[in-house]
Amino acid sequence: MIHKVVIANRGEIALRILRACKELGIKTVAVHSDVDSEALHVKLADQSVCIGPAPSADSYLNMKAIISAAEVTDADAIHPGYGFLSENAEFAEICQNCGLIFIGPTADNMRLMGDKISARQTVTKAGVPILPGTKDGVPNSEEAVLIANDIGYPVIIKATAGGGGRGMKIVHSAAALPNAYAAARSEAKAGFGNPEVYIEKYCQRPRHVEIQIMADKHGNVIHLGERDCSIQRRHQKLLEEAPCSILPDDVRQKMCACAVAAAEAVNYSSVGTVEFLLDANNDFFFMEMNTRVQVEHPVTEMITGVDIVKEQILCAAGEPLRYRQEDIVFRGHAIECRINAEDPEKFTPCPGLIDGYHTPGGLGVRVDSAVYDQYKVLPNYDSMIAKLIVHADSREEAIKRMNRALDEYIIEGIKTTIPFHQRIMNNKEFIEGDVDTSFLERVQL
Ligand code: MV4
């Protein structure tokens, strides 16, 4: 078993990991930057180590400092959370070489899925549907035009080393292709250090539906159903729910089976998420696989009762999954609102002192957050300060419960996105379940 875990993260996910460790009887080590010494994860951990100055590059991304923190505290594992080093295959490898358990999949799993072309090729072999597109990188603009003519417009150009939507270019005509191709390449080079791009048919106004999977080191793979994460702004998810309200049961079964097949095809071990686009005909296509625990995992926990982070830690320790597929029972509906320290109209970051704080409570309400009254939200890091999650018997009741919980949530001193979420909860299209990735561009909130 694992005895002591270094939590290589901050904020709510550091607390989430700490809580799982406590319940498993595992000691915790918080690492933190200079400016995070008052952070809750530091106060609640058994031990803490300062790993550098405020900039992430010098602290939460500082592999040497984090490995050293594990060595001086005699820890045997590192949990990367999400963001920061969570999808860095080199870091996973360094942990292994230092005799530390990286709580996540193997470095090979991470590399294979991190390269979007190899991910596409791998899942295709496992029978998972993908959108028509190139098998390999597109070497030049002339080739790009030939391929796009073959696929038919609109097409989308994506970075091989990309992901999460950054640097993608949607192209509607051959005339626009050469410029978009050149721009995509230079953005890919600048953003990911690799200029390679590939081309796919562009799917218009899809839903973003993803399947949570769990896999152990003994070849067992199960799924925990889907999440609908269609409500996004500039590729930042703002609200997620489970299940997807319009997904027909036969399509759900197929999508879940595909996600499990994709994980089995790469001998995956750990928790992970397989992302799909779902079009208006309810056809679905593989987008990418995330090899980490995700921000939105709580909605799945609420409808299944499974502690995803605990299972992830146990799997990393070599334990077999404690659930078979038939043990997973889905109940009710869950919604998560990401509460950001941002202007609720313009979404510009609004860090500062929280001066007055009260969290909502009651049946079916969960707050995952690391802030408290008189806490100073820092400008150095991500603006998400809390996740408000509700669970109820139906989607309709979950929306009412979310409305009630948002009303109760008092955060004074800084602007937050609470008013934005209140507008969504009262929006006709949202209430009717009419959401897709263009929702926020389309509706007048
Ligand atoms: C697409 C797509 C439509 N067609 N690929 C976004 C994140 C990354 N995982 C891939 N993404 C998409 N890929 C094809 N072939 C639509 C998205 C997409 C999206 C695109 C534009 C604006 C918002 C979006 C939100 C989710 C997904």
Side-chain angles (χ1 to χ4, degrees):
M1 240 323 262
I2 291 171
H3 299 285
K4 195 188 271 187
V5 170
V6 167
I7 301 168
N9 216 299
R10 65 183 303 284
E12 70 84 21
I13 195 63
L15 283 198
R16 175 69 190 83
I17 296 161
L18 196 141
R19 287 169 175 148
C21 289
K22 275 203 173 168
E23 291 182 19
L24 289 169
I26 299 172
K27 292 268 181 284
T28 53
V29 180
V31 295
H32 67 91
S33 66
D34 276 347
V35 291
D36 264 345
S37 49
E38 294 304 307
L40 215 46
H41 76 282
V42 176
K43 295 178 198 255
L44 291 181
D46 294 303
Q47 286 174 275
S48 65
V49 180
C50 182
I51 49 165
S56 300
D58 302 324
S59 48
Y60 297 103
L61 291 169
N62 185 341
M63 300 193 237
K64 275 190 189 148
I66 293 165
I67 299 283
S68 300
E71 282 173 351
V72 299
T73 57
D74 204 24
D76 45 14
I78 299 186
H79 198 307
Y82 52 67
F84 296 126
L85 294 169
S86 63
E87 289 177 288
N88 189 312
E90 188 197 344
F91 182 63
E93 209 155 67
I94 291 170
C95 288
Q96 200 183 11
N97 293 341
C98 294
L100 294 159
I101 295 173
F102 175 83
I103 302 177
T106 63
D108 285 345
N109 281 170
M110 291 163 75
R111 272 196 200 99
L112 189 70
M113 288 304 173
D115 179 308
K116 304 307 162 189
I117 290 180
S118 65
R120 260 170 75 86
Q121 290 170 347
T122 306
V123 304
T124 305
K125 284 184 207 137
V128 179
I130 58 170
L131 281 153
T134 49
K135 276 192 198 65
D136 299 296
V138 180
N140 56 57
S141 186
E142 293 73 38
E143 194 82 9
V145 173
L146 293 177
I147 289 160
N149 284 344
D150 203 40
I151 299 171
Y153 290 91
V155 297
I156 184 166
I157 311 175
K158 296 183 178 181
T160 304
R166 289 173 303 159
M168 302 185 329
K169 296 274 173 255
I170 299 158
V171 187
H172 291 276
S173 69
L177 193 62
N179 278 339
Y181 174 81
R185 273 186 82 87
S186 69
E187 279 177 38
K189 178 93 172 68
F192 315 108
N194 176 359
E196 191 176 71
V197 297
Y198 64 102
I199 300 181
E200 267 181 14
K201 176 86 187 165
Y202 180 62
C203 175
Q204 315 229 31
R205 285 176 56 162
R207 287 190 183 236
H208 173 132
V209 181
E210 58 184 33
I211 307 293
Q212 177 72 53
I213 62 121
M214 298 203 302
D216 64 21
K217 293 179 179 172
H218 307 273
N220 304 302
V221 186
I222 66 169
H223 69 79
L224 298 183
E226 81 282 5
R227 297 184 283 260
D228 187 327
C229 309
S230 297
I231 300 191
Q232 312 194 352
R233 184 182 174 276
R234 298 189 184 165
H235 302 296
Q236 281 290 106
K237 294 169 187 161
L238 296 171
L239 182 157
E240 304 92 355
E241 48 187 315
C244 168
S245 62
I246 54 90
L247 194 62
D249 212 48
D250 59 323
V251 182
R252 171 177 295 117
Q253 298 311 330
K254 282 190 194 125
M255 199 186 271
C256 290
C258 281
V260 168
E264 283 172 345
V266 299
N267 216 346
Y268 192 80
S269 62
S270 189
V271 304
T273 300
V274 185
E275 296 185 344
F276 295 97
L277 291 171
L278 179 70
D279 71 14
N281 302 322
N282 282 329
D283 286 323
F284 64 86
F285 307 95
F286 171 82
M287 245 195 315
E288 50 194 78
M289 179 167 184
N290 299 321
T291 56
R292 59 174 190 277
V293 68
Q294 289 194 266
V295 176
E296 60 271 25
H297 77 277
V299 291
T300 301
E301 294 187 325
M302 299 305 265
I303 64 160
T304 60
V306 175
D307 186 325
I308 293 170
V309 178
K310 255 190 207 169
E311 288 309 306
Q312 184 187 29
I313 294 168
L314 291 171
C315 285
E319 299 287 322
L321 283 176
R322 298 182 298 177
Y323 300 87
R324 295 161 301 172
Q325 189 64 58
E326 55 270 31
D327 297 329
I328 306 300
V329 182
F330 300 94
R331 199 185 75 78
H333 195 93
I335 303 176
E336 171 180 280
C337 289
R338 298 190 187 191
I339 314 294
N340 296 343
E342 291 172 359
D343 181 294
E345 309 278 344
K346 301 186 209 92
F347 298 95
T348 47
C350 293
L353 182 73
I354 296 181
D355 191 15
Y357 188 70
H358 180 265
T359 52
L363 179 64
V365 175
R366 166 175 172 182
V367 180
D368 278 19
S369 175
V371 305
Y372 49 85
D373 192 22
Q374 303 305 313
Y375 175 81
K376 207 168 168 190
V377 179
L378 298 168
N380 312 76
Y381 309 106
D382 191 89
S383 61
M384 191 181 77
I385 54 167
K387 304 188 304 204
L388 174 56
I389 308 115
V390 300
H391 182 228
D393 285 342
S394 67
R395 185 170 187 271
E396 194 184 347
E397 286 168 291
I399 291 171
K400 286 181 182 156
R401 183 160 283 164
M402 182 61 85
N403 244 322
R404 186 272 286 173
L406 286 164
D407 274 347
E408 266 180 54
Y409 209 161
I410 297 167
I411 306 178
E412 282 168 340
I414 58 167
K415 289 185 192 174
T416 76
T417 50
I418 289 173
F420 164 81
H421 288 295
Q422 288 173 315
R423 293 197 298 273
I424 292 197
M425 290 305 131
N426 293 290
N427 175 270
K428 183 173 165 288
E429 277 106 310
F430 177 75
I431 292 167
E432 287 170 359
D434 183 14
V435 293
D436 59 63
T437 51
S438 72
F439 179 79
L440 292 178
E441 291 145 43
R442 183 157 54 82
V443 303
Q444 195 69 46
L445 283 175

